[in-house]
Amino acid sequence: MIILACDHAGYQLKEDIKEFFNKENITTIDVGTYSRESCDYPDFAKIGNQKVLENPNNIGIYVCGTGIGMSMSANRNPKIRAALCTSVAFAELARRHNDANVLVLSGRYTSKLKAISIIKAFLTTKFEAGRHARRIKKFS
């Protein structure tokens, strides 16, 4: 399942992403926020993390203004590996080398088309394991 979370600055891009998934008949869970009204990104990262961790196959996509706040908040949970990705290459490497389970995007600096490309790469790239698994074990 794909879990969507955002703050007010990420709201429009999250809605664009949700529209893309709806057109592709891909079910998502939207944990908010549901408007452009000012709110606090840590609250939505926490709710998103809870949903992502309900099933090891779940993937999170979080959006805030720059993506930095959501990344920092999400990564407070030791079982979350959130990666702020600004390119397809970063998304592929975040999955391949870091087994990222949350993709973070910048609502202010990422276009809808670029976000969709990044998301496609993130969702279709598999973790390589091997030497990378050894490194991830050192996170905790």
Side-chain angles (χ1 to χ4, degrees):
M1 184 66 58
I2 298 168
I3 312 303
L4 301 175
C6 71
D7 70 354
H8 58 282
Y11 174 75
Q12 186 56 57
L13 184 58
K14 182 204 64 167
E15 291 299 304
D16 292 340
I17 292 165
K18 198 162 57 170
E19 179 184 328
F20 162 74
F21 283 127
N22 287 339
K23 285 181 182 175
E24 297 292 319
N25 293 315
I26 297 171
T27 305
T28 61
I29 296 174
D30 182 351
V31 300
T33 192
Y34 306 109
S35 75
R36 289 185 177 91
E37 185 177 332
S38 183
C39 62
D40 300 329
Y41 56 81
D43 298 334
F44 296 97
K46 185 175 183 178
I47 296 166
N49 285 353
Q50 290 168 347
K51 287 288 186 190
V52 167
L53 295 175
E54 286 178 1
N55 183 312
N57 295 317
N58 287 351
I59 293 289
I61 301 175
Y62 300 174
V63 189
C64 70
T66 62
I68 296 168
M70 276 290 202
S71 296
M72 294 172 78
S73 296
N75 281 319
R76 300 288 294 169
N77 185 312
K79 294 182 180 179
I80 294 293
R81 292 171 308 283
L84 171 57
C85 296
T86 57
S87 70
V88 167
F90 279 23
E92 290 171 346
L93 289 168
R95 293 286 288 158
R96 190 175 296 133
H97 291 185
N98 306 115
D99 197 21
N101 55 2
V102 173
L103 168 63
V104 183
L105 297 169
S106 166
R108 290 189 178 123
Y109 302 101
T110 309
S111 71
K112 177 182 177 178
L113 291 176
K114 186 171 187 178
I116 299 305
S117 296
I118 291 169
I119 289 166
K120 286 178 179 179
F122 192 84
L123 295 177
T124 58
T125 303
K126 301 296 179 206
F127 179 49
E128 284 182 358
R131 70 184 189 275
H132 304 296
R134 180 184 75 238
R135 294 170 183 155
I136 288 171
K137 285 181 185 176
K138 293 181 179 187
F139 284 7
S140 58

